[in-house]
Every structure is written in structure tokens, then in C-alpha cells.
Amino acid sequence: AQRTRERVLQAEGPTYDEDYWDDFEDAPDSEVEIIEAELIDNATAARTVEELEAEIILLRDLEAHALRVRRSGHDRKWNELLKLLQDTPELQNSQRGRRKLVIFTEHRDTLNYLLERLSTLIGRTEAIVTIHGGIRREDRREIEDRFRNDPDVLILLATDAAGEGINLQRAHLMVNYDLPWNPNRLEQRFGRIHRIGQTEVCHLWNLVAGETREGAVYQRLLKKLEAERHALDGQVFDVLGKLFQETPLRRLLIEAVRYGDDPAVRARLEQAVDNATDRERVRDLLEHQSLVTASMDVSQIMRIREEMERAAARRLQPFYIKAYFLQAFEYFGGTIHERESGRYSINNVPAIIRNHAKERGLGVVSTKYERICFEKALIHLPNKQPATFVCPGHPLLDATISLMLLRERDTLKRGGILVDETDPGHELRALFYLEQAIQDATPMKSGERRTISREVHFVEIDSAGNVREAGGAPYLDYRPATADEVAQIRHLLDQDWLKGENLERCAAAHAVEHLVPRHLERVRARRLELIDKTEAAVQERLTKEINYWDLRAAELRAQEQAGKINARLNSQRAQERADRLAERLNQRKTQLAQERQISAAPPIVVGGALIIPIGLLLGDQTPAEILDRRITEQMAMRAVMEAEIALGNHPRDVSAQNLGYDIESRDRQTGRLRFIEVKGRRAGAETVTLTYNELYRALNSPEGFILALVEVDRGNARPPRYVRNYPFREPDPLASSVNFNLRELLSMSEEPN
């Protein structure tokens, strides 16, 4: 009778089944915080008003107890963290400067608590930055950038929002103040600092209250992981997220919280942890992860390797990028200081660059950079702080390039007048810069199609209308014409072939016919292969889930019709989940179909220059060496091609492409490419000249670059001499070429081999 007078609570708010929690564990941090707040607002174990009132009284007691603990100043967990910070050698400052530390927490309240206490401890609030789910993604990037580059920022406090695609490799020390119930998140946290390229030994400390039921399970797990880490050279962390696929760690922890005092339950939980981290099981997971699912024949491997070698020889990074950035940064009022060879510090990035990056959405540019470099090998040096790698895609470089184009695009379009000091000819040439993009059908906010690749092509046209590809950066091999030189050829600027838009149309037509198809095919092959793999994976995963929920909905409908009602999950909710998954599959397939529609946008002429051959300026005074150069170099080319064939190699003449080398030859013994720059000189000549691009090709591929020297005596070419591994140095940015002592080079040379 008493029971009938109880006021029963109505079930309100969302209900969550086990499958929902599996999805919840992989949700982004911002979504986790929203759901947690929703759960807290609705959480109660009470079924009646009377039970709810009793629960509220108990919660008030717990709240008061927690407040007393906080006010007492005796926080065991904080004390353990303080002891770590003060007594652990790895966390102390070193000769390399103050070490940076990442501290992860589970909840924002804990983060705010630690921020308050650490700020008091350190005495400088600017030494600590925070990342949590309430911070916008673009602001997270700015905080990440400050942590990595600002020497005054020492600690990053973060929830798992900092585990989502953020690189914290600047640090190699991490503390988990709270441990997540999902091992995937634990793996993601450690992966923020333990990344490819990390040269420091990474240290991770986990704060666990071992006397609690939850802590007992985690303590068992961490001890097992430590044992397996030693046995498997640390690789256990590579598969940590896969260890609990059969029995989720979350379920073990919930069972421990509920029944952990029962010795039988405790023994079963310990056995479950031991089984999950069994050494042979971990080995099997590691072997499965390392299996190669696709195979390639020898010809494919050779082709891919050759493309990689060509790309390495022609790359812009580091030398072209470095030369440009140092000049452009100074142009905008910046000052850069070289600290170690190839490594620089920036004490203040001009506001014009930082503001431009923010306005254009190019990413976060820091106010200062403790170290930057342009070569990957210089990122980490012994006993030196890591450097920020400035390369295409880095906001500092992208903003500098974008701002320069904004300021000087009209200058680029108007063009310039350059001198080719290697050409003894008497005819002007026109050089055009064409920008060309490859797009897919993915719509952008602006309504335009998305650009997935962009290249700049260079085309030269002579007075006879002959068009040729001019190479990667031909303008660097020329020097600016002086005012007197421009005046000397001014009367030639009225020639008909230089007037009107015919030249631009001719350059664009050549690009459409020859250059754009190569660019399109290269991008299309790479993208379609990736899209095929993605679509297959999406189709398999979502179809499996859809089928499961369709079947589950049918089973629940049958149970409901039989009068068996599932209070936690009904057929309608199961069907809604199946329908949402089907909708997601269709959306993903539509998106991938748009990505498949790859097409080339028309090339656009963005700039140009008039090229004056030195022969036109010097006339009868042109040195004999320059006049003879074309003949001697033709003879030299034949001699080197014959020498390569005699060695059994497979040479190919690429001199017309202006790549920075003349012959590309595949070594018959190693299968690797040799990049040969041929220089023919009269017997008795004293110097040999290498252009800007030729020098950078030598620097890009020091092992594969060969300088082939051929002396021509009385119309006959002497046997070639090869110069390998010469210690070339970067040319001055304003130099178009550098002269070398021919006798010295010959003394270092050897017969072709």
C-alpha cells in the first residue's frame, strides 16, 4: 500500500545503449563535453521523488566533503604532480633551454583547477596555454603554434581536444593527470609527442589512484604494458587501441566501480587485463598491422623510384625556398638571425605578415620563432632546441608568398627584361609564367570548384614562333638588364611579333597541349587510387553497420509484436540508426563521386619577361668562348652519351627541357638515375660556368649529380671526365651563375664509371 502512494518519476531525457557508448568513445572532444553536460543534468539513479530527495541529500554531503578537501590544500594527486615537477630529472631545465611539458586531463574543471595552481607555482600565466573542447579549431592551431615556437611557453594543459590531429612534437614529456576509459584516446595522447621524426626519448607519467577500484584496474594494465614495452621494444603502444576490441576497457572499469570489492570480480578483471595484453596477442597484432596488402612488380618499383629521384633532384625545398624567404622576409621589414649553420631565429614577425595570414585564413603565424630551418635534417641537432620547419604549407611561408603576390602581382604581370649570359645568339626571346590548376567537383563556399593541385609552368617563344618548355625556374639563370642594356635594344621592342596578345595565346596553347595533360594525368592517377581505397573502406564499414541495425530493428519489432518490450532500445530507434547510417553512406559516396570528377582549369598567364641574349648586346665583341660554346657543348653531349652507352647505362638527352642537367642516365648496376650536367670547353680554357639552377640540382642530389667535363681540341672531343661529390655551395641569391676553375675541377675528375 505504501508503494502505491510513492510519486513515480517520469523517464525524461535521452537514453543511451551500449552501442551508443562505442560511438561516444570515438567522438570529438567538443561533442563529448556537450553530452557529458547533458548526462549530468539528467543523471539520477532515483525512480521516485522520495528516492531523488534522498539522493540530493547524499550529493550535498559529497559536495561539502569535496569542498573541505579542496580548501584544506591537501590534494594527493596535485602533490604527486608537484613532486614530479620538482624531483624528476627529465622535467628539469637543461643546457638546451627550458623543457616543454604536456599535461592531459579528462575534464575542463580539472584543467581550470590545474591552471590556477600551476600559474601560482610558476608565477607567470603566459608560461601556460590551454586547449579544450570549447576552443575553436583555428584558435587551437594558434595555441599549438605558441607552444611549439614561443620559448616562454612551457606547459600545455589540455583535454583530449589536443589529441585530435595536433602535432605537439616540440615536447617529449607528458603527464596524464587523468586517464581516459578508452585506450584509443590514451594512444592518441601519446601520439601527439611520439611521432615520426621525434629524436628525443619520450617520457609519459600516468597519475593513478591505485587504492580506488578504477585505479586498481588501470594500475594492473599499466604494469602489464610496462612489462610488454621492455619485451617488445616499446611497440606495444602502436596497438594499444586494439588490445580491448573484444572486451572494451570501459566495461571492465564500470564493473570494477560497481563490484570491485568482490574478490571473485577483482580476479576476473585482472585476468581480463592480462589476456588483453598477452605478449603473443600483442605480437600478432603488430605483425598483422605490418602486413603489406598490395604487391608491385619490379617495373612498378623501378618507375616509382625513378620518379622519386627526379622529384628529389628538381625539388624547391630547401634551397629555392630558403633563398626566396630570406629576401622576402627582409622586404617586409623582418629581421632574421642565423644561430647555427642553416638555422635561424626570428624575434619578431612583422605584423603585416601575421595580419595577412589571419585575414586570408592561411593559419597561425607566431610573433616569434626560437628556431626555424629549411632542411629536415636540421630540425633536430644534438644539444640544441628543435627548429620549426619552414616549407610549403607552413603559414609563415604561405603568408609571405601570398602577401608578396598581393603587393607585386602587377609588377609580375608587367614583366621584366633579363639577360642570358650563356647565349651568343642575336634574337630576343619571350618568357611566360603560366599558373595552372587541377580541380575536382567539390564545391567551395565561394561557389567555385575545389583546387587540388596547382603548378607554375614556364614557356619560351622566339621571334620565329618556336615554343619550348623553359624548365622549373629559368629566370634564375638570367640576370636583370641594366638601364644601358635596355636602351641598347629599345629599338627592337617595336617588332611585330612582340605586339598584341598572340604571344600569350601561343604560350597558353602550348601549355594546354603539352604541359597541362602531364599535370592532369599525374594528379588524376594519384587521387583516383586514393579515392578507390577510401570508397571501398567506407562501403564495407557502413554497409556492415547498416545491415546490423536493419537486422536489429527487425528483431526488436518481432519482440514488440510478441509483447516483449526492450526498455533501453526499441525498434524505432534501431531503424532510425540504420537510416542515418544509410544517409551517411549516400552522402559519402556523393562526396567521393565529386572528388572523382577531376579536370584541368585553363592555364593563366601571370607574368613574363623579355630575354636578351648576351650575343645581341656584345655583337662583334662577343668572346670566342661564348661563340664556340654551342658547338663545343654539342660535341660534348655526344661524347658523354657515347660514354654512358659504353658503360651499359641507359642515357636520355633532356637538355632541351632546361632541368638543370643535360642527361638523365639509369645506372645498369644500381638501377638509380644519374643526373649529368655536360660542359664542353675549348682546350686551354680556364673557367667553367654553372648556372643558378645547375648548382641547386647539384645540391639537391649530391650523390646522383655528375659534372661531365669535355675539352674540345681542334674540332675533336677528348674523352669525358666526371666530377662527383664536389662540395658545391649555395650561390648568392642575386647571382645568376658562378664560375669555377676548370683546371682545379679536372684535377679532381675521373674517367666515366
Side-chain angles (χ1 to χ4, degrees):
Q2 176 67 30
R3 195 165 213 30
T4 60
R5 290 195 297 271
E6 289 180 344
R7 292 167 290 171
V8 180
L9 292 174
Q10 295 294 322
E12 295 181 356
T15 58
Y16 302 98
D17 52 52
E18 285 296 311
D19 298 292
Y20 180 87
W21 289 116
D22 291 336
D23 290 343
F24 173 77
E25 287 184 341
D26 295 322
D29 190 68
S30 56
E31 184 178 327
V32 168
E33 289 193 5
I34 293 171
I35 296 173
E36 284 179 346
E38 186 180 59
L39 280 171
I40 291 170
D41 290 341
N42 290 279
T44 178
R47 292 172 295 177
T48 67
V49 173
E50 287 76 9
E51 289 179 357
L52 180 61
E53 290 171 347
E55 190 177 273
I56 290 172
I57 293 171
L58 179 60
L59 286 172
R60 283 174 178 164
D61 288 343
L62 289 172
E63 185 180 33
H65 183 64
L67 185 61
R68 287 194 298 272
V69 170
R70 178 164 185 175
R71 287 175 174 173
S72 71
H74 298 294
D75 180 345
R76 175 69 184 279
K77 205 170 191 180
W78 161 255
N79 290 339
E80 289 298 323
L81 176 61
L82 188 60
K83 190 185 301 181
L84 267 177
L85 296 175
Q86 294 176 337
D87 301 339
T88 307
E90 290 85 0
L91 290 170
Q92 305 308 307
N93 295 344
S94 69
Q95 294 179 352
R96 296 178 53 183
R98 289 167 292 186
R99 291 185 168 129
K100 292 179 182 275
L101 170 68
V102 182
I103 301 177
F104 271 106
T105 74
E106 276 289 277
H107 308 289
R108 200 189 304 183
D109 288 342
T110 310
L111 183 148
N112 293 332
Y113 168 69
L114 289 177
L115 177 61
E116 177 186 329
R117 303 210 68 162
L118 287 168
S119 298
T120 303
L121 176 69
I122 297 174
R124 293 187 298 110
T125 55
E126 64 273 14
I128 307 170
V129 292
T130 62
I131 294 178
H132 53 73
I135 295 177
R136 296 184 308 166
R137 188 168 293 275
E138 53 268 29
D139 293 334
R140 295 181 202 177
R141 297 297 181 190
E142 183 175 356
I143 294 167
E144 173 199 353
D145 198 72
R146 283 184 57 205
F147 178 70
R148 290 166 56 190
N149 297 303
D150 191 334
D152 296 328
V153 177
L154 302 179
I155 296 177
L156 169 65
L157 278 173
T159 64
D160 282 308
E164 299 165 10
I166 290 180
N167 180 5
L168 303 176
Q169 197 179 49
R170 176 66 173 84
H172 62 280
L173 308 172
M174 180 181 290
V175 173
N176 279 320
Y177 193 81
D178 300 314
L179 289 170
W181 283 17
N182 182 352
N184 282 315
R185 289 190 180 274
L186 195 61
E187 183 180 341
Q188 287 169 0
R189 289 180 181 182
F190 195 48
R192 296 307 97 206
I193 64 170
H194 191 255
R195 303 169 69 93
I196 294 174
Q198 174 65 271
T199 59
E200 299 289 338
V201 176
C202 293
H203 296 272
L204 171 65
W205 291 267
N206 297 299
L207 300 184
V208 180
E211 65 276 11
T212 66
R213 296 175 180 180
E214 170 196 359
V217 174
Y218 244 124
Q219 197 168 45
R220 181 83 175 193
L221 170 62
L222 293 172
K223 286 182 179 178
K224 285 287 294 180
L225 289 178
E226 182 64 15
E228 301 310 320
R229 182 181 71 83
H230 287 295
L232 299 169
D233 298 324
Q235 294 183 81
V236 65
F237 290 102
D238 296 341
V239 293
L240 181 57
K242 299 181 177 66
L243 295 179
F244 292 91
Q245 285 181 333
E246 295 176 6
T247 306
L249 179 61
R250 170 178 51 79
R251 294 181 185 175
L252 297 180
L253 291 168
I254 289 174
E255 192 171 354
V257 170
R258 288 175 174 170
Y259 315 112
D261 286 339
D262 185 333
V265 172
R266 191 181 304 123
R268 187 171 71 251
L269 294 176
E270 290 178 355
Q271 186 61 49
V273 171
D274 293 349
N275 291 341
T277 55
D278 177 74
R279 186 171 303 168
E280 290 307 314
R281 182 169 183 270
V282 175
R283 287 187 193 277
D284 289 343
L285 286 171
L286 287 169
E287 290 176 5
H288 178 74
Q289 182 169 284
S290 65
L291 288 176
V292 178
T293 57
S295 61
M296 294 184 290
D297 60 32
V298 175
S299 63
Q300 287 178 299
I301 295 173
M302 292 286 289
R303 178 176 54 79
I304 292 171
R305 187 171 70 181
E306 286 184 2
E307 287 300 323
M308 292 175 66
E309 291 173 0
R310 290 189 189 99
R314 303 174 194 174
R315 65 180 181 259
L316 297 177
Q317 189 77 13
F319 305 109
Y320 290 94
I321 298 296
K322 175 183 173 182
Y324 166 80
F325 180 80
L326 294 180
Q327 294 179 80
F329 191 71
E330 184 178 346
Y331 173 83
F332 290 119
T335 302
I336 190 167
H337 306 278
E338 186 166 15
R339 298 305 184 189
E340 299 89 30
S341 179
R343 288 162 49 99
Y344 305 82
S345 69
I346 299 175
N347 295 327
N348 181 57
V349 176
I352 189 173
I353 295 177
R354 289 185 277 114
N355 293 338
H356 182 76
K358 190 171 184 178
E359 291 167 3
R360 295 298 176 96
L362 298 174
V364 178
V365 174
S366 292
T367 304
K368 63 176 73 172
Y369 289 88
E370 192 172 6
R371 287 293 185 276
I372 68 166
C373 67
F374 302 89
E375 301 177 59
K376 284 186 177 180
L378 298 179
I379 296 175
H380 299 281
L381 292 181
N383 300 318
K384 301 293 181 183
Q385 56 268 57
T388 296
F389 183 41
V390 176
C391 60
H394 191 281
L396 178 60
L397 176 62
D398 289 354
T400 305
I401 293 173
S402 176
L403 185 59
M404 182 67 77
L405 286 173
L406 182 67
R407 287 278 192 89
E408 303 296 341
R409 189 176 288 276
D410 288 342
T411 303
L412 188 65
K413 185 68 176 176
R414 285 198 303 271
I417 300 179
L418 307 175
V419 176
D420 181 355
E421 293 189 315
T422 66
D423 184 0
H426 294 79
E427 296 292 334
L428 296 173
R429 308 193 307 274
L431 173 67
F432 288 97
Y433 319 150
L434 299 101
E435 186 178 77
Q436 195 270 315
I438 304 297
Q439 303 169 323
D440 64 18
T442 303
M444 305 296 290
K445 289 183 179 179
S446 62
E448 299 176 345
R449 292 160 63 101
R450 181 178 64 172
T451 296
I452 57 176
S453 179
R454 194 185 301 274
E455 287 187 352
V456 175
H457 302 293
F458 298 91
V459 171
E460 277 194 3
I461 305 175
D462 62 22
S463 58
N466 298 312
V467 187
R468 72 178 185 91
E469 184 178 353
Y475 53 89
L476 294 176
D477 291 336
Y478 309 141
R479 63 168 175 81
T482 65
D484 289 342
E485 289 169 337
V486 173
Q488 186 177 339
I489 58 94
R490 190 175 299 281
H491 66 285
L492 300 175
L493 300 182
D494 291 331
Q495 297 178 75
D496 291 340
W497 74 280
L498 289 173
K499 297 178 181 178
E501 299 181 355
N502 287 337
L503 280 178
E504 287 194 12
R505 283 198 292 266
C506 187
H510 180 84
V512 167
E513 183 178 356
H514 299 285
L515 308 180
V516 174
R518 292 207 303 263
H519 183 200
L520 176 61
E521 185 54 38
R522 188 168 61 251
V523 173
R524 176 182 281 152
R526 184 177 66 248
R527 297 281 297 188
L528 290 182
E529 182 180 1
L530 178 61
I531 291 169
D532 286 342
K533 290 180 179 179
T534 303
E535 187 170 36
V538 169
Q539 181 78 32
E540 180 182 5
R541 179 175 60 84
L542 289 180
T543 300
K544 184 177 179 180
E545 291 187 40
I546 292 167
N547 291 340
Y548 170 81
W549 285 107
D550 275 334
L551 180 61
R552 189 81 176 100
E555 291 173 347
L556 289 168
R557 274 193 296 271
Q559 292 173 8
E560 289 163 0
Q561 290 169 2
K564 297 178 182 178
I565 306 299
N566 188 324
R568 300 175 61 191
L569 178 66
N570 57 41
S571 61
Q572 182 180 353
R573 289 193 61 208
Q575 191 60 56
E576 286 174 355
R577 180 177 286 251
D579 294 342
R580 285 198 302 270
L581 289 168
E583 183 180 355
R584 190 193 308 174
L585 176 59
N586 289 332
Q587 290 174 347
R588 195 73 179 93
K589 291 174 74 172
T590 299
Q591 180 186 352
L592 291 170
Q594 291 174 332
E595 293 180 12
R596 283 185 183 280
Q597 298 178 42
I598 299 171
S599 61
I604 300 170
V605 175
V606 295
L610 189 66
I611 311 301
I612 308 173
I614 193 67
L616 180 60
L617 296 173
L618 298 178
D620 295 338
Q621 298 179 356
T622 304
E625 182 182 357
I626 294 179
L627 291 171
D628 289 346
R629 184 170 294 164
R630 287 190 174 177
I631 297 174
T632 58
E633 290 196 345
Q634 287 173 3
M635 297 176 68
M637 282 288 293
R638 285 198 299 270
V640 175
M641 290 288 286
E642 290 170 359
E644 286 294 300
I645 293 171
L647 290 171
N649 298 335
H650 302 277
R652 186 166 65 95
D653 183 349
V654 295
S655 56
Q657 299 178 35
N658 197 25
L659 300 174
Y661 52 87
D662 296 313
I663 295 173
E664 186 180 280
S665 182
R666 178 148 47 88
D667 190 305
R668 68 179 177 84
Q669 294 181 334
T670 66
R672 297 193 173 278
L673 293 180
R674 300 145 67 102
F675 305 103
I676 306 174
E677 174 56 32
V678 179
K679 296 294 180 182
R681 290 294 179 268
R682 273 186 178 186
E686 296 181 355
T687 62
V688 63
T689 302
L690 265 68
T691 68
Y692 195 96
N693 282 309
E694 290 165 356
L695 281 169
Y696 276 167
R697 296 299 178 251
L699 290 167
N700 274 342
S701 299
E703 296 180 357
F705 185 86
I706 297 173
L707 176 60
L709 303 173
V710 179
E711 291 188 287
V712 177
D713 186 14
R714 299 175 184 177
N716 295 312
R718 294 177 181 174
R721 303 288 299 181
Y722 282 5
V723 179
R724 298 173 180 268
N725 298 312
Y726 184 84
F728 292 107
R729 290 180 294 181
E730 295 176 57
D732 185 283
L734 299 179
S736 58
S737 61
V738 177
N739 288 329
F740 293 85
N741 185 295
L742 179 57
R743 296 299 112 192
E744 181 182 331
L745 288 174
L746 285 171
S747 69
M748 302 173 61
S749 67
E750 58 189 24
E751 294 181 358
N753 59 67

